[in-house]
Amino acid sequence: PIRETLASVSGKEPFLTRNTPQHRALVYLADEDAKQLDPYNHKESMIQRYGIVVLFFALNDKNTWLHRDYWMSKFHECHWENVICEDWMEGGRKVTKLNLYSNGLLGQIPEEIGVLDALDAIDMTNNTCTGTIPEGFEQLKRMKELRLDQNNFEGTIPDFLFKYKHLEILTFGTNKLSGTISPNFAKMDSLKKIYLENNDFTGTIPKEFGDMPQLMDLMLDENQLEGIIPTELGMCSNLEKLGLYSNSLTGTVPDELSRLKKLKILYLDHNSLYGEIPAWIGGLTRLTDLRLQFNDFHGRIPDLSSLRSLGEWFVAALCRMLSYKIHG
């Protein structure tokens, strides 16, 4: 009966081969787990525990995890280290958050993560996860924070992610993701922070980002993006961080960006932008970090003395760096 219950999640094939994460989880739940859940009376509880156990075997095959207190113990999985649960209206406790930041994860996230359908936050930052973003994530419709940066994920951003209605933070930076950046991000009305830096994205910056007035952080640095900076970004009235450095962007800096009065970080360096540095940059008084160097700007450096948050030394250093490329 245990095998049949788990096969309803994973299918039969994974259990035909020893040492798959699914087979190892089956053996653990059937023979080794002191909790010994009854698949007839506690089916949902068994499936949740199965999802967590498969995740452990899939990402800890080399025994690399750094923080794993109580994992694979007799205690309820909600007591395992960095697993956070909440009482659920249907009864029992459900896993709502996985905080596995810098934990030595190694391997591919199993599709069985989809059975943890109460998850609203996953943090797997700074590990060695590989493969593509699993289709099992499609079942995680309550997701608010999805942090997968600093891993080795490949492939494209799957379309189902754009159906997340509650997602507020998405960080996929420093991976090996590719393809174009979808305009469908604009359909995500709750999304406030997008981090896609240091990947292999190509194409242009979607103008549809301008339809996201709630957007606070947009970090697209260190990709292979080309074309111009969309004027529509000026509609992102709550934007605080805009990172576009180390791409192949061309054209001038659009005057529409002067509307971004909440901007604290603006990275435009290491592109092929040209024209004069806009004088309105001096009016973005909340800026704490500004990078314009290594472009093809010309003309005079505008007055940046009002950018007091940068400090006089920073403005002076910026002017010195820019002077190598700009002629007064």
Side-chain angles (χ1 to χ4, degrees), residues 251-292:
T252 60
V253 180
D255 288 339
E256 286 78 3
L257 299 191
S258 64
R259 303 170 186 165
L260 305 179
K261 300 301 184 182
K262 296 183 180 181
L263 209 58
K264 296 178 180 178
I265 290 177
L266 179 60
Y267 296 157
L268 300 179
D269 53 301
H270 292 84
N271 280 289
S272 298
L273 301 172
Y274 54 79
E276 294 188 357
I277 297 176
W280 52 257
I281 287 183
L284 301 178
T285 56
R286 297 190 183 185
L287 280 177
T288 59
D289 200 352
L290 172 64
R291 300 182 188 175
L292 301 173

Side-chain angles (χ1 to χ4, degrees), residues 82-107:
N82 295 323
V83 178
I84 299 172
C85 298
E86 293 180 10
D87 294 327
W88 212 246
M89 62 186 73
E90 292 87 357
R93 305 200 73 202
K94 283 203 168 189
V95 177
T96 57
K97 293 177 174 59
L98 291 174
N99 183 13
L100 300 175
Y101 172 91
S102 293
N103 201 43
L105 309 186
L106 175 63

Side-chain angles (χ1 to χ4, degrees), residues 71-125:
W71 279 75
M72 314 304 290
S73 71
K74 64 181 180 181
F75 297 106
H76 192 285
E77 57 273 14
C78 291
H79 296 290
W80 295 359
E81 187 173 10
N82 295 323
V83 178
I84 299 172
C85 298
E86 293 180 10
D87 294 327
W88 212 246
M89 62 186 73
E90 292 87 357
R93 305 200 73 202
K94 283 203 168 189
V95 177
T96 57
K97 293 177 174 59
L98 291 174
N99 183 13
L100 300 175
Y101 172 91
S102 293
N103 201 43
L105 309 186
L106 175 63
Q108 297 187 31
I109 299 174
E111 299 295 344
E112 286 78 5
I113 197 170
V115 305
L116 307 176
D117 57 2
L119 276 172
D120 60 35
I122 295 176
D123 190 348
M124 295 185 177
T125 301

Side-chain angles (χ1 to χ4, degrees), residues 121-277:
I122 295 176
D123 190 348
M124 295 185 177
T125 301
N126 193 28
N127 286 288
T128 316
C129 296
T130 58
T132 59
I133 297 170
E135 293 182 6
F137 276 15
E138 186 170 5
Q139 308 306 316
L140 308 181
K141 301 184 185 302
R142 305 176 194 274
M143 191 63 60
K144 294 180 181 179
E145 299 183 15
L146 183 55
R147 303 175 188 268
L148 302 180
D149 39 317
Q150 300 178 56
N151 280 283
N152 289 318
F153 289 108
E154 300 177 334
T156 60
I157 297 176
D159 288 339
F160 62 74
L161 285 185
F162 303 117
K163 298 178 182 178
Y164 282 178
K165 295 181 179 180
H166 308 289
L167 192 67
E168 298 178 3
I169 299 174
L170 181 147
T171 65
F172 285 178
T174 312
N175 279 287
K176 300 176 182 177
L177 297 171
S178 58
T180 58
I181 297 176
S182 175
N184 289 327
F185 273 109
K187 297 180 179 180
M188 305 173 78
D189 294 336
S190 298
L191 191 56
K192 298 178 180 179
K193 299 185 178 184
I194 302 173
Y195 285 74
L196 301 178
E197 76 282 2
N198 195 17
N199 278 286
D200 295 315
F201 291 113
T202 56
T204 59
I205 300 172
K207 64 180 182 180
E208 287 79 5
F209 280 132
D211 297 326
M212 302 178 71
Q214 79 281 4
L215 197 60
M216 297 174 64
D217 298 356
L218 179 60
M219 306 302 284
L220 307 178
D221 317 289
E222 295 184 285
N223 281 288
Q224 301 174 42
L225 301 175
E226 56 188 10
I228 63 171
I229 299 174
T231 59
E232 289 81 0
L233 289 183
M235 301 298 292
C236 300
S237 56
N238 288 297
L239 204 62
E240 296 182 358
K241 297 181 181 180
L242 178 59
L244 304 177
Y245 77 83
S246 289
N247 281 288
S248 298
L249 300 176
T250 59
T252 60
V253 180
D255 288 339
E256 286 78 3
L257 299 191
S258 64
R259 303 170 186 165
L260 305 179
K261 300 301 184 182
K262 296 183 180 181
L263 209 58
K264 296 178 180 178
I265 290 177
L266 179 60
Y267 296 157
L268 300 179
D269 53 301
H270 292 84
N271 280 289
S272 298
L273 301 172
Y274 54 79
E276 294 188 357
I277 297 176

